[in-house]
Amino acid sequence: MRLDKFISQQLEISRAIAHREIRGQRVTVNGEIVRDTAFKLLPDHEVVYDGNVLQMQTGPRYFMLNKPQGYVCSTDDPDHPTIIYFIEEPMSFKLHAAGRLDIDTTGLVLLTDDGQWSHRITSPRHHCEKTYRVTLESPISDDTAAQFTAGVQLHNEKSLTKPAQLEVITPTDVRLTLSEGRYHQVKRMFAAVGNRVIELHRERIGDIVLDDDLEPGEYRALTEEEIASIGVPKELQTR
């Protein structure tokens, strides 16, 4: 990669400003000042700007974030703060959420710049399970679990929802696991059975469980095992 492009991306500045910074002798490569904006960087080069080491990205990135309320899962929004605010990584603007949450929903969000990986989470054909902790306005009815297993009819939808697993913790505190991701599905499912969601918190996507050590707004890189767990479904592997 050219040095000017690298500096532009790392500092999130225009190419013209990057040229000015490089020619102003503020950038070193392996300890030597480089003023050539077209200098070709190699993976083992150490680039320093004003005494700060800039890390070269060598591959796709994968993170989990404990999303707090009041943030949207987009990279840019004119009206609301976005989850990218919490991500202190180079070129964080290139990351996207693999499965969004509403502004008032909290919990697990996966962020990546690997489009194929995120597609395996969001594509309906892959049936990636997601688990939510749900606080309800009214006590859960005795037949709600059976209704969710059989599938419910959502407003303005032609087909029933796919079977969902409901675990009752208290009459107004439940855990719901889905294998599809329709628009506002959890809230609409409970509305369809005459209840209302007060709080919604995502705990799990596939085999990736939100880290208990992460406070709202905190994030960490996924482990190799977590990344690999979002693989091709078994039913597709055997075809």
Side-chain angles (χ1 to χ4, degrees), residues 8-23:
S8 173
Q9 291 182 341
Q10 289 284 314
L11 303 182
E12 300 184 20
I13 58 178
S14 68
R15 192 74 68 91
I17 295 176
H19 284 192
R20 186 186 68 192
E21 300 301 284
I22 294 168
R23 289 170 179 158

Side-chain angles (χ1 to χ4, degrees), residues 46-91:
E46 181 183 72
V47 182
V48 176
Y49 171 79
D50 272 357
N52 298 306
V53 177
L54 303 180
Q55 298 294 331
M56 273 195 258
Q57 183 184 335
T58 57
R61 299 170 293 173
Y62 310 87
F63 303 100
M64 72 161 59
L65 166 73
N66 186 357
K67 177 191 171 298
Q69 285 190 352
Y71 292 82
V72 294
C73 291
S74 61
T75 54
D76 184 42
D77 189 289
D79 302 316
H80 304 98
T82 81
I83 56 174
I84 298 300
Y85 167 83
F86 299 107
I87 309 301
E88 298 179 354
E89 302 291 333
M91 295 181 285

Side-chain angles (χ1 to χ4, degrees), residues 163-223:
Q165 300 172 1
L166 183 67
E167 174 191 352
V168 178
I169 300 168
T170 73
T172 57
D173 181 13
V174 301
R175 182 174 283 115
L176 181 66
T177 298
L178 309 174
S179 62
E180 57 182 345
R182 303 190 195 190
Y183 180 70
H184 289 172
Q185 182 168 348
V186 176
K187 296 174 182 177
R188 294 169 69 204
M189 285 179 69
F190 282 101
V193 296
N195 212 324
R196 190 168 80 89
V197 173
I198 301 299
E199 293 182 2
L200 188 58
H201 178 82
R202 186 158 63 195
E203 298 179 324
R204 179 176 70 90
I205 297 175
D207 291 331
I208 302 175
V209 178
L210 180 62
D211 196 326
D212 289 336
D213 294 333
L214 292 179
E215 296 294 328
E218 292 184 339
Y219 75 99
R220 69 162 172 82
L222 295 186
T223 66

Side-chain angles (χ1 to χ4, degrees), residues 3-187:
L3 180 59
D4 57 352
K5 182 178 180 181
F6 177 75
I7 294 298
S8 173
Q9 291 182 341
Q10 289 284 314
L11 303 182
E12 300 184 20
I13 58 178
S14 68
R15 192 74 68 91
I17 295 176
H19 284 192
R20 186 186 68 192
E21 300 301 284
I22 294 168
R23 289 170 179 158
Q25 302 185 36
R26 301 179 72 178
V27 177
T28 64
V29 178
N30 288 354
E32 301 290 333
I33 293 174
V34 176
R35 298 187 63 193
D36 179 8
T37 59
F39 181 88
K40 296 293 186 182
L41 291 176
L42 300 176
D44 60 348
H45 280 153
E46 181 183 72
V47 182
V48 176
Y49 171 79
D50 272 357
N52 298 306
V53 177
L54 303 180
Q55 298 294 331
M56 273 195 258
Q57 183 184 335
T58 57
R61 299 170 293 173
Y62 310 87
F63 303 100
M64 72 161 59
L65 166 73
N66 186 357
K67 177 191 171 298
Q69 285 190 352
Y71 292 82
V72 294
C73 291
S74 61
T75 54
D76 184 42
D77 189 289
D79 302 316
H80 304 98
T82 81
I83 56 174
I84 298 300
Y85 167 83
F86 299 107
I87 309 301
E88 298 179 354
E89 302 291 333
M91 295 181 285
S92 60
F93 63 92
K94 289 194 171 185
L95 297 168
H96 64 271
R100 297 185 175 192
L101 292 177
D102 296 337
I103 190 170
D104 59 344
T105 302
T106 63
L108 176 62
V109 173
L110 300 178
L111 291 131
T112 184
D113 46 16
D114 183 342
Q116 290 186 339
W117 188 82
S118 64
H119 180 72
R120 292 198 291 271
I121 293 173
T122 58
S123 173
R125 65 194 291 263
H126 287 171
H127 309 297
C128 182
E129 285 191 346
K130 301 173 183 67
T131 298
Y132 299 84
R133 189 74 174 262
V134 189
T135 303
L136 298 169
E137 182 179 62
S138 304
I140 194 84
S141 300
D142 292 339
D143 61 346
T144 300
Q147 287 181 279
F148 283 4
T149 299
V152 297
Q153 184 70 55
L154 302 181
H155 182 63
N156 288 333
E157 296 270 359
K158 293 182 179 179
S159 60
L160 298 179
T161 57
K162 293 185 181 301
Q165 300 172 1
L166 183 67
E167 174 191 352
V168 178
I169 300 168
T170 73
T172 57
D173 181 13
V174 301
R175 182 174 283 115
L176 181 66
T177 298
L178 309 174
S179 62
E180 57 182 345
R182 303 190 195 190
Y183 180 70
H184 289 172
Q185 182 168 348
V186 176
K187 296 174 182 177

